[in-house]
Amino acid sequence: MTTTASPATVRADTTCLDGVDLAALAQRAGTPLHAYSASAIRQRIGALKNALRGLDALVCYAVKANGNLAVLQLMADAGLGADIVSAGELRRSLRAGIPAQRIVFSGVGKTAGEIAAALAAGIARFNVESEDELHLLQRLAAERDVIARAAVRINPGVDAHTHAKISTGNADNKFGVGIDEARRWFAGSATLSHVHLDGLHVHIGSQMLSLEPLRQALHRTADLWCELAAAGHAITSIDVGGGLGVCYRAGHDHPVAIEDYTDVIRHALAGFDGRILLEPGRWLVAEAGVLLTRVIRIKRGRQRRFVVVDASMTELVRPSLYDAWHDIVPVARESRPLQTCDVVGPVCETSDTFAVGRALPECEAGDLLLIRTTGAYGASMASTFNSRPLAAEVLLDRGRYAVVRRRQTFEEMIAGEQPAQNWETA
Ligand SMILES: *Cc1c(COP(=O)(O)O)cnc(C)c1O
C-alpha cells in the first residue's frame, strides 16, 4: 500500500476538517462534539502498512484508544486486527467485523468469564500477565478442550520516559512479568496441555516520543527469544505493543517518524521468522480527532480570565488526569489579538481545566473552539460525572459527516437506575 499524502494534510485548518466546515457541523450536531477524520485514520493505517512492507506483521489496533464501532470498522476494512483488554472490547471488535483470528487479549485483570468468552470466540492469542492467569487459561481451555495460544507479557525493566501514569515497562508497575519468571514459564510449558505458549509480548508505555526505550525493550525481548529458541522453545510471534507518541503541542512535541519506528523493530527482530504483532492505539487515531466546544461565558476572576466552555473532563479527561496539553484554537477565519486565559469546563472540580495561562485569540460567549488531538483516549474515557450525558461523535469523510454516536439522552443516562423498592437479603 502506498500513501499519496502525508497525514498532515488532513489536520484541521481550524475551519475545516476532512472537507467538512466545522462551524456548520457544530451548528447541526451540537456541542460538545467529537469529530474524527476517516481520511486521516486511513492515511495513518496506510503509512504504517507501508512502513511494515516485507515483514510478516499484523497490526492489532488497541481498541481502548477509541472503541467507537465506526472507527473499528475502518480498522476492519483495512484488514487490521484488534488488541482488546476486556470482554466489552471483544464484543465491540467482533461487532465491527474484526475476525477473532486477528484479536489479541491483553491486561492484568482478565476474569474467568472474559477468558471463557475469548476462548469461545476463538481469538488469536492471549497476552498473559501472571502465573495465576496462565493456570486459569490452562484450566478453562482444558474444560472446553481447545488449545489457547499464549504469549508472555514481559516487563523488560525499562522506563518509557513518558508520564508515570501511562508508563508500563519499569520493574515496579503492575504489567507483565520479569524475564526470569518468563523463563520459568517456558521451562514448565510442557505441563500445559491446553495452552500453546509460543509468543513474547512487550508494551512499555504510551505517548513515547523517543525510540531509545523501545529499542532497549525489543533488544531484551530478542535476547530472550534467542535464548528460548536455543532451549527448544519455538517462538512464533513477537508482539511489540503500542505506545507510539503523537503531537499534542505543535512545535513542542516531535513524534518519531513511522519508518524510524519500524526500523527499530526490523533491526531488533532481524532474523526472527515468526509473525510480528503491533498494537498501536493513539498513533492511529489521536490526531484524526478534534473536540468542538462552545464558549458558555467569559468569567473574569480576580487574577485570571476564565473561558468557560461546554466541554469538560467528562469528554476529555487527559488534562485533568495527566496534566496533558492539548492545543486549542478558535474556529474562526479572522485573526484576533491574543489574550492570556484559563480554559475551563463547567464541572464542579478544579481539575476540570483544559489550559492554564494559555495565550488564545480573544473570544466571547458563543464562539466555537477546537481542542485538538482528541481522537484517542477522549470519548473512550468519557464519563457522565455531574450528570452530563455522553457527547455525540461524528465521522467525517471527504466533505461529508455521519453521526456515529448520537448524543446520549437524559433517559438513556439514567436507564438502569431505580428506586430502592424490591429489597432482598443476600
Ligand atoms: C494501551 C495499550 C496499547 C496501546 O497504546 P497506545 O499508546 O495507544 O499506542 C497497546 N498495547 C497494550 C497492551 C496496551 O495496554
Side-chain angles (χ1 to χ4, degrees):
M1 182 182 252
T2 55
T3 46
T4 50
S6 87
T9 57
V10 262
R11 195 170 165 94
D13 70 359
T14 82
T15 58
C16 233
L17 177 60
D18 209 341
V20 176
D21 183 88
L22 293 172
L25 176 67
Q27 204 71 48
R28 294 281 296 273
T31 55
L33 180 70
H34 284 287
Y36 314 123
S37 160
S39 302
I41 294 173
R42 286 195 208 97
Q43 283 193 6
R44 284 280 158 117
I45 295 170
L48 179 55
K49 282 188 169 180
N50 191 45
L52 291 167
R53 68 199 169 274
L55 292 175
D56 176 11
L58 176 66
V59 177
C60 294
Y61 168 65
V63 174
K64 73 177 191 282
N66 185 332
N68 184 287
L69 289 173
V71 171
L72 294 182
Q73 235 146 26
L74 291 175
M75 307 300 171
D77 290 348
L80 267 56
D83 169 42
I84 59 162
V85 293
S86 70
E89 288 189 354
L90 172 64
R91 294 183 65 174
R92 275 185 185 277
S93 304
L94 295 171
R95 186 74 64 90
I98 296 175
Q101 306 88 303
R102 294 199 194 126
I103 296 178
V104 299
F105 193 175
S106 306
V108 294
K110 303 179 192 78
T111 64
E114 288 178 315
I115 292 172
L119 285 171
I123 68 161
R125 190 169 283 282
F126 292 82
N127 291 329
V128 179
E129 305 218 14
S130 66
E131 196 157 20
D132 177 72
E133 182 192 334
L134 184 65
H135 291 140
L136 179 61
L137 181 60
Q138 156 67 21
R139 182 162 67 72
L140 296 174
E143 277 171 23
R144 286 160 184 75
D145 200 23
V146 292
I147 303 289
R149 297 193 87 103
V152 184
R153 176 166 180 179
I154 56 173
N155 184 326
V158 303
D159 188 340
H161 298 299
T162 180
H163 192 285
K165 286 186 184 162
I166 51 174
S167 176
T168 59
N170 46 326
D172 56 0
N173 74 44
K174 69 180 177 182
F175 296 100
V177 302
I179 288 186
D180 285 342
E181 181 165 349
R183 277 193 193 103
R184 281 202 303 279
W185 289 15
F186 279 95
S189 60
T191 64
L192 299 169
S193 58
H194 289 76
V195 174
H196 203 66
L197 188 64
D198 63 352
L200 297 177
H201 173 228
V202 64
H203 170 74
I204 58 171
S206 205
Q207 183 55 12
M208 288 186 292
L209 294 174
S210 147
L211 288 171
E212 214 33 57
L214 182 75
R215 196 190 316 272
Q216 269 185 40
L218 291 188
H219 279 285
R220 286 181 200 178
T221 307
D223 288 347
L224 181 60
W225 146 54
C226 293
E227 177 195 322
L228 290 168
H233 301 290
I235 300 299
T236 65
S237 87
I238 295 182
D239 185 331
V240 303
L244 204 50
V246 299
C247 180
Y248 283 105
R249 187 173 180 180
H252 183 272
D253 297 338
H254 302 288
V256 304
I258 192 66
E259 300 270 351
D260 293 342
Y261 171 71
T262 53
D263 277 351
V264 167
I265 297 170
R266 282 176 198 276
H267 287 132
L269 303 185
F272 178 64
D273 61 359
R275 170 162 272 203
I276 297 172
L277 302 179
L278 297 92
E279 303 170 338
R282 190 187 311 270
W283 190 82
L284 288 176
V285 294
E287 291 182 27
V290 298
L291 175 58
L292 285 166
T293 183
R294 214 172 274 286
V295 176
I296 297 174
R297 66 176 52 87
I298 307 296
K299 174 175 171 173
R300 270 163 256 271
R302 258 174 313 186
Q303 281 156 22
R304 314 189 72 83
R305 178 184 165 84
F306 297 102
V307 175
V308 187
V309 298
D310 67 0
S312 78
M313 62 193 291
T314 58
E315 288 73 42
L316 180 68
V317 76
R318 300 186 67 258
S320 316
L321 199 57
Y322 315 126
D323 295 320
W325 177 290
H326 282 263
D327 281 337
I328 303 175
V329 290
V331 178
R333 281 190 174 78
E334 75 280 13
S335 61
R336 302 183 202 157
L338 294 181
Q339 244 183 354
T340 301
C341 60
D342 291 3
V343 181
V344 302
V347 162
C348 298
E349 176 77 56
T350 304
S351 73
D352 185 30
T353 296
F354 291 117
V356 177
R358 185 83 61 95
L360 270 193
E362 217 169 53
C363 50
E364 57 189 55
D367 283 358
L368 192 61
L369 299 181
L370 190 68
I371 305 181
R372 286 195 196 276
T373 322
T374 54
Y377 306 106
S380 68
M381 295 179 89
S383 76
T384 56
F385 187 39
N386 279 211
S387 285
R388 293 169 52 85
L390 296 176
E393 296 168 70
V394 293
L395 191 67
L396 316 179
D397 196 1
R398 292 162 291 183
R400 297 184 307 166
Y401 78 94
V403 176
V404 294
R405 180 195 183 101
R406 58 182 171 71
R407 198 171 301 282
Q408 192 179 39
T409 64
F410 171 73
E411 291 301 332
E412 286 166 344
M413 184 173 60
I414 63 165
E417 294 180 37
Q418 53 192 4
Q421 50 192 8
N422 299 318
W423 296 93
E424 294 174 56
T425 50

